[in-house]
Amino acid sequence: MKHEKTLRAAVGGSAAVAVLSAGLMSAAPAFGEDVVLRMAVPDWPPTRIMKDLFDKNYKAKSGNNVTLEPDFIPWPDYYTRLSGSLTSGEKRYSMAVSDSQWLGAFIEGGYYQKLNDAIDADPELQQIMQDLNPALVDAYSTYPHKSKNYYGFPQMPDVLVAYYRTDVFCDEGEAAAFKAKYDADLPCTPEEMNNADWDMVQKFGEFFGRKKGETLSGKALDDDFYGIAYQAGKGYDFSTMQIASMIWQHGGDIWDETKAPTGKAEGVVNSPEAVKGFEHYLSLLQYMPPVVKTGTMDIFKQDELFREGKVAYMINWIGFAESSIDANTSKVSDKVDFAMAAGLKKADGSIDRTYNIGGQPFVLMTWNDDTTNTEALEFVKWWLSPETQVAFAKAGGQSGLKSVYEDPSYNSFRPWNHAFGTSLNNQKDIWHIPEFFELLVQQQAEFDKAITGQQDAKATLDAIAKFQEELLQETGHIE
Amino acid sequence: MMKVWEVYPLRVAFLSIPAALLISAVAITLLPPSVSFWVSGAVFVFSAFLFVAYAWGRHAGGLLVAPAIALLFIMNIFPLLWSFGLSFFHYRANRLAPPRFAGLHYYEKVLTDPVVWDRLQVTAQLVVLTVSLQMIVGFLLAMLFAKQFPLRRVLLILVLTPMMLSFVAVGAFFRYYYEPTFGLLSQAVRVFTGEPFVLLQSTAGAIAGIVFADAWMWSPFVMLLVLAGLVSVPKYLYEAASIDRISHWRRFWNITFPYVRSLLMLALLFRTIEAFKLFDVVFLLTEGGPGTSTETIAVYVYRVSFQYFKTSESAALAYILLFTVIVLTNLYLYFANQRNRT
């Protein structure tokens, strides 16, 4: 009998709980709908910071319960994983952080949503687009490139900047020796370093290349030391970004997609100016750590060599800067400063710093339902609001909003910020057409032959021009 | 009363196949895809059910294997056939455009593409070098471990470890091993020369680096197979040989080798097929560089398929490779059998 009573009580109790919870669940819609923004993102600080800020600060205006669920995917796998998900039709993501060059492939595939209607209908979004640096809008948003069709908003704008070692560049003994050798002042402050052109960088390379046992800043070296480093890797775009910049600075050009279908590849890609620019790029490789000879000095390798204290001056993305000043990840954390990346000195004394833009936009998917879409756009507006952008920049990110990065206080957030805003206006981008990867892979392989000393600059650019001319004709980008 | 399937069990079960095919064909042509998918599915499930009902009690073995076969078909054979079909169509997996018939266009394109022939030559070069090295090292290791000596078991485990590591771990490890600034190899060479050693800067160096890394990983596999042969040689043969004062060389050729020959051939077959598909180590160590001098056909298929998204072309190329491997394997088995008979 006692057992039966206990059983009855238990059954009754659980029934009551079930009724109560059912009541609560059915009452839930009164507080707003649950909306999940599932986003494919590369795994690195700018996206981790975004998730943190969202979880701490975000409240949807609609009253809906909006959660951000990013899939953090390692960079080297990112393109394959994202393209795998999109093309499989699983419709897993409502948003993604996409590299700008993938726009063409994924827009033509029908995955990325055109945002013109949303922008036209929303004054707040229009205001954001007005406030963004135009170079970012062109690179991150437009397809065809520089058209009026918009597809993305900046998540993290990135540029190439110079990282340098203050213990080396600001050492009096080194400065005196440099003066004696080149009759030039060794730059020390960021303002002085901003004036460094490629000739000066060549001198850094020559001057700071030291063998084990020689002295550097008054101390005997326990390992070889190298003057300079920039990207020269075969993977992904890990040489193109620097080489294209060098070619633009010398007055050459890449195949320009905005000039399609009359713009040619042959004669442009391998023009005398382009060859000169590429030769200039190759001439500086001799001053870099020996791994450059293998064609595997990508941005990660450069970053590692710099943090290990093997290099005096390096040009790399701002995205790596945070780890170079963190004592947990860097041996030189207290000896680093930043400046604008070097450029080519022109006849009038000015320095041309045309560079290839980095960073990534957000995109929205075509299959989103109305609620998800509305919430996604609300999220974008929150992200690109001045308060969030300032919080992001303070935590180590960058903002593309003029009102934010032009504010004098912006430069005080992080030591590299002064080099960011001033560099933004000089940014260009390579191609965004669907054949992007074919162009890139062939070009990277040819560049690699030149970097590893198998062929000269002219033969390399001739081979690239020929391939591009044929491919682009075949695909209708060149008449 | 007798039930229908008890009277005509076989016929009902077998008739259900053409019936199912007919119904799905009609459904696919007349109904929208979202409906016809479920109609066809239901019809096929029903016909499968009829088969199970028929075979219940009579072919229990077949029924027990059926789920595994079905899984194999769905996960393996069907995609294989599907991609084979795609190789005859214009299709790119990253576009929404439906496939258009292309006939043998992509086979012709692949077979006349100088890039493909170049990558095949690179692959052939690597296959010959890496498999030869693995066979020699593996054989010598097996000869060593066939003898008894102190710490043999411990050393054997250590020698077998590389084979159990993941490809990516081995690739990453060797990338650091060859790295000129931090790498062990360069540090060691620098003790003698004073200069950092940059192995991967030339084509020959890059090939040597890949061959060494691959052989490091897979020689233990060859050793394991050969060792199995060596320990199976009856001791009395050696005893008889030593009584007859046969030379070591003759002993090896007349006693040892015949016992390990078939296993050696098996190792050769496995390693050749695997080396033909060499991807991981190459991709991690050199990405096919310098230039494209170490880009194997497997790396090239990956690029065509997942970077250029030329799905049809990559499918055609993959089938040509599959065909090549099957032909080579059969040729090899044919010769191996011939030799065994003689």
Side-chain angles (χ1 to χ4, degrees):
Chain A
M1 272 307 273
K2 204 178 173 191
H3 273 300
E4 203 173 305
K5 258 189 192 168
T6 326
L7 198 69
R8 256 188 222 164
V11 170
S14 44
V17 169
V19 168
L20 246 174
S21 52
L24 276 177
M25 276 166 77
S26 61
F31 300 114
E33 242 177 283
D34 285 340
V35 180
V36 177
L37 297 176
R38 195 178 290 279
M39 194 188 292
V41 302
D43 188 3
W44 70 325
T47 51
R48 291 276 175 187
I49 299 167
M50 174 178 77
K51 170 72 174 154
D52 271 1
L53 290 174
F54 182 95
D55 290 347
K56 273 187 217 147
N57 304 334
Y58 190 75
K59 286 232 158 43
K61 285 180 195 160
S62 59
N64 285 341
N65 178 27
V66 180
T67 46
L68 178 68
E69 282 188 15
D71 275 359
F72 291 102
I73 302 166
W75 260 124
D77 292 340
Y78 189 55
Y79 175 79
T80 319
R81 288 270 299 274
L82 178 63
S83 60
S85 169
L86 296 178
T87 53
S88 74
E90 65 172 358
K91 301 184 178 173
R92 178 175 171 79
Y93 300 113
S94 43
M95 297 179 82
V97 170
S98 164
D99 230 359
S100 55
Q101 295 94 355
W102 309 343
L103 287 175
F106 293 139
I107 289 166
E108 294 291 342
Y111 311 116
Y112 291 176
Q113 193 186 130
K114 192 173 171 183
L115 301 163
N116 286 49
D117 290 348
I119 294 169
D120 290 345
D122 191 332
E124 222 177 312
L125 285 176
Q126 287 163 26
Q127 207 264 321
I128 287 172
M129 296 299 276
Q130 287 293 320
D131 196 14
L132 286 169
N133 183 295
L136 295 180
V137 176
D138 283 346
Y140 294 167
S141 214
T142 58
Y143 181 78
H145 191 47
K146 295 190 178 175
S147 68
K148 293 285 172 204
N149 303 321
Y150 300 120
Y151 290 89
F153 303 98
Q155 193 268 333
M156 161 77 185
D158 205 351
V159 295
L160 287 165
V161 294
Y163 295 50
Y164 68 96
R165 289 269 298 273
T166 49
D167 61 326
V168 172
F169 279 91
C170 300
D171 181 78
E172 281 175 14
E174 295 294 347
F178 192 83
K179 179 88 178 169
K181 188 168 182 186
Y182 300 105
D183 193 25
D185 291 325
L186 189 63
C188 166
T189 64
E191 292 73 31
E192 289 164 0
M193 194 57 91
N194 279 342
N195 290 322
D197 66 345
W198 288 121
D199 282 346
M200 190 58 114
V201 170
Q202 185 267 335
K203 291 188 177 88
F204 298 162
E206 195 176 63
F207 183 69
F208 288 118
R210 311 271 166 98
K211 289 275 165 211
K212 182 180 177 178
E214 293 180 0
T215 52
L216 179 76
S217 306
K219 284 177 207 148
L221 285 166
D222 59 1
D223 199 359
D224 294 356
F225 188 76
Y226 301 91
I228 52 174
Y230 53 48
Q231 50 182 291
K234 185 172 185 252
Y236 192 47
D237 63 6
F238 303 139
S239 65
T240 290
M241 295 286 112
Q242 186 68 47
I243 295 171
S245 308
M246 209 72 151
I247 288 174
W248 283 323
Q249 289 174 17
H250 277 79
D253 208 350
I254 60 169
W255 174 70
D256 187 345
E257 62 189 303
T258 60
K259 291 181 184 152
T262 51
K264 293 274 181 196
E266 275 192 316
V268 176
V269 174
N270 53 350
S271 69
E273 294 81 17
V275 173
K276 212 171 153 201
F278 188 34
E279 278 170 348
H280 197 171
Y281 166 91
L282 293 171
S283 72
L284 295 175
L285 297 179
Q286 57 182 304
Y287 306 114
M288 300 186 188
V291 69
V292 76
K293 293 177 191 159
T294 67
T296 55
M297 194 162 84
D298 53 28
I299 54 175
F300 308 103
K301 190 57 155 181
Q302 265 185 277
D303 169 54
E304 182 192 5
L305 286 160
F306 189 79
R307 284 186 290 108
E308 288 285 332
K310 306 286 183 202
V311 177
Y313 175 99
M314 138 175 118
I315 294 173
N316 209 345
W317 301 111
I318 284 183
F320 290 105
E322 198 69 47
S323 59
S324 73
I325 59 162
D326 181 349
N328 293 321
T329 48
S330 170
K331 286 186 181 166
V332 295
S333 58
D334 56 344
K335 304 166 191 154
V336 188
D337 215 334
F338 302 85
M340 290 166 79
L344 187 73
K345 195 162 264 175
K346 298 281 171 189
D348 63 357
S350 65
I351 295 179
D352 186 334
R353 289 178 211 275
T354 311
Y355 263 92
N356 206 122
I357 198 165
Q360 296 76 34
F362 287 121
V363 291
L364 274 67
M365 301 304 164
T366 42
W367 46 73
N368 293 347
D369 60 42
D370 287 347
T371 319
T372 313
N373 233 8
T374 312
E375 291 299 349
L377 288 170
E378 284 301 319
F379 163 77
V380 167
K381 284 193 268 181
W382 167 79
W383 180 251
L384 294 173
S385 67
E387 305 77 54
T388 314
Q389 290 286 286
V390 166
F392 181 50
K394 279 183 177 169
Q398 292 297 340
S399 174
L401 292 178
K402 282 180 274 184
S403 59
V404 174
Y405 73 76
E406 281 175 353
D407 190 288
S409 67
Y410 188 77
N411 290 353
S412 65
F413 297 159
R414 300 318 266 163
W416 47 85
N417 279 15
H418 64 84
F420 172 74
T422 41
S423 301
L424 264 189
N425 294 328
N426 311 319
Q427 303 298 313
K428 289 172 85 164
D429 204 0
I430 52 168
W431 336 275
H432 303 77
I433 56 169
E435 294 77 14
F436 159 75
F437 239 108
E438 282 163 88
L439 295 176
L440 186 66
V441 169
Q442 190 266 351
Q443 174 165 297
Q444 285 283 120
E446 291 296 326
F447 283 161
D448 191 52
K449 285 181 195 166
I451 289 166
T452 53
Q454 298 183 351
Q455 71 186 10
D456 65 14
K458 176 84 173 70
T460 304
L461 291 177
D462 283 348
I464 294 170
K466 184 168 176 286
F467 175 83
Q468 294 191 353
E469 188 75 24
E470 281 167 14
L471 178 81
L472 294 166
Q473 273 186 15
E474 213 175 280
T475 49
H477 294 288
I478 296 179
E479 264 174 3
Chain B
M1 205 177 96
M2 295 280 277
K3 287 172 186 138
V4 177
W5 56 83
E6 279 168 354
V7 185
Y8 304 109
L10 201 65
R11 245 173 275 171
V12 172
F14 280 95
L15 269 178
S16 73
I17 297 177
L21 283 173
L22 189 71
I23 294 171
S24 9
V26 173
I28 288 165
T29 38
L30 294 183
L31 298 169
S34 55
V35 182
S36 63
F37 175 81
W38 293 108
V39 172
S40 317
V43 173
F44 277 102
V45 166
F46 181 68
S47 98
F49 174 76
L50 277 183
F51 262 93
V52 173
Y54 156 70
W56 197 254
R58 289 181 236 189
H59 304 286
L63 276 182
L64 286 172
V65 179
I69 301 275
L71 199 69
L72 188 73
F73 184 81
I74 293 166
M75 305 299 289
N76 214 327
I77 297 168
F78 174 72
L80 208 66
L81 293 176
W82 188 263
S83 64
F84 186 59
L86 280 182
S87 68
F88 299 102
F89 285 81
H90 297 287
Y91 178 68
R92 301 176 75 128
N94 63 349
R95 306 291 163 82
L96 295 180
R100 279 181 302 116
F101 188 66
L104 290 170
H105 171 76
Y106 287 107
Y107 286 89
E108 193 189 322
K109 191 175 173 196
V110 164
L111 286 172
T112 54
D113 187 351
V115 178
V116 171
W117 288 107
D118 175 67
R119 303 301 185 266
L120 279 172
Q121 280 177 36
V122 171
T123 312
Q125 220 174 9
L126 283 171
V127 168
V128 171
L129 288 171
T130 184
V131 175
S132 317
L133 187 63
Q134 284 166 35
M135 298 302 285
I136 295 167
V137 174
F139 196 92
L140 291 177
L141 279 175
M143 294 291 281
L144 177 69
F145 281 101
K147 297 187 170 39
Q148 293 296 332
F149 54 88
L151 292 178
R152 177 179 170 273
R153 274 170 173 273
V154 180
L155 282 174
L156 193 60
I157 291 168
L158 282 178
V159 168
L160 285 176
T161 314
M163 196 177 91
M164 300 171 209
L165 297 175
S166 89
F167 293 102
V168 178
V170 172
F173 165 69
F174 273 97
R175 197 169 172 154
Y176 264 95
Y177 184 71
Y178 297 145
E179 212 273 351
T181 304
F182 309 112
L184 263 178
L185 182 68
S186 175
Q187 301 272 3
V189 172
R190 204 157 61 160
V191 171
F192 302 105
T193 62
E195 287 293 318
F197 180 59
V198 194
L199 178 72
L200 302 179
Q201 66 178 325
S202 63
T203 304
I207 289 177
I210 292 166
V211 166
F212 182 76
D214 197 53
W216 180 82
M217 190 172 182
W218 290 111
S219 297
F221 174 77
V222 177
M223 179 201 76
L224 205 62
L225 284 180
V226 176
L227 197 58
L230 286 179
V231 295
S232 69
V233 185
K235 286 241 166 53
Y236 64 83
L237 289 179
Y238 289 124
E239 283 159 12
S242 63
I243 290 165
D244 291 345
R245 293 189 183 176
I246 305 272
S247 72
H248 282 282
W249 189 241
R250 285 285 308 274
R251 249 186 258 184
F252 173 76
W253 276 116
N254 292 358
I255 305 171
T256 315
F257 193 70
Y259 272 89
V260 296
R261 190 172 63 190
S262 56
L263 283 165
L264 208 57
M265 287 291 163
L266 198 65
L268 182 72
L269 176 71
F270 281 156
R271 289 313 312 146
T272 308
I273 293 174
E274 283 292 313
F276 203 77
K277 301 188 290 183
L278 196 63
F279 176 87
D280 322 68
V281 172
V282 175
F283 201 71
L284 282 159
L285 269 186
T286 66
E287 298 218 28
T292 52
S293 54
T294 58
E295 189 167 298
T296 59
I297 194 74
V299 174
Y300 184 67
V301 172
Y302 162 77
R303 291 201 195 285
V304 176
S305 180
F306 297 108
Q307 291 189 324
Y308 311 160
F309 270 104
K310 293 179 172 174
T311 312
S312 309
E313 192 177 324
S314 67
L317 182 51
Y319 272 93
I320 288 171
L321 293 183
L322 179 67
F323 180 73
T324 315
V325 173
I326 290 174
V327 167
L328 285 177
T329 311
N330 278 304
L331 268 178
Y332 156 82
L333 287 176
Y334 174 77
F335 285 119
N337 283 337
Q338 288 275 310
R339 203 177 290 171
N340 280 347
R341 251 174 244 152
T342 57

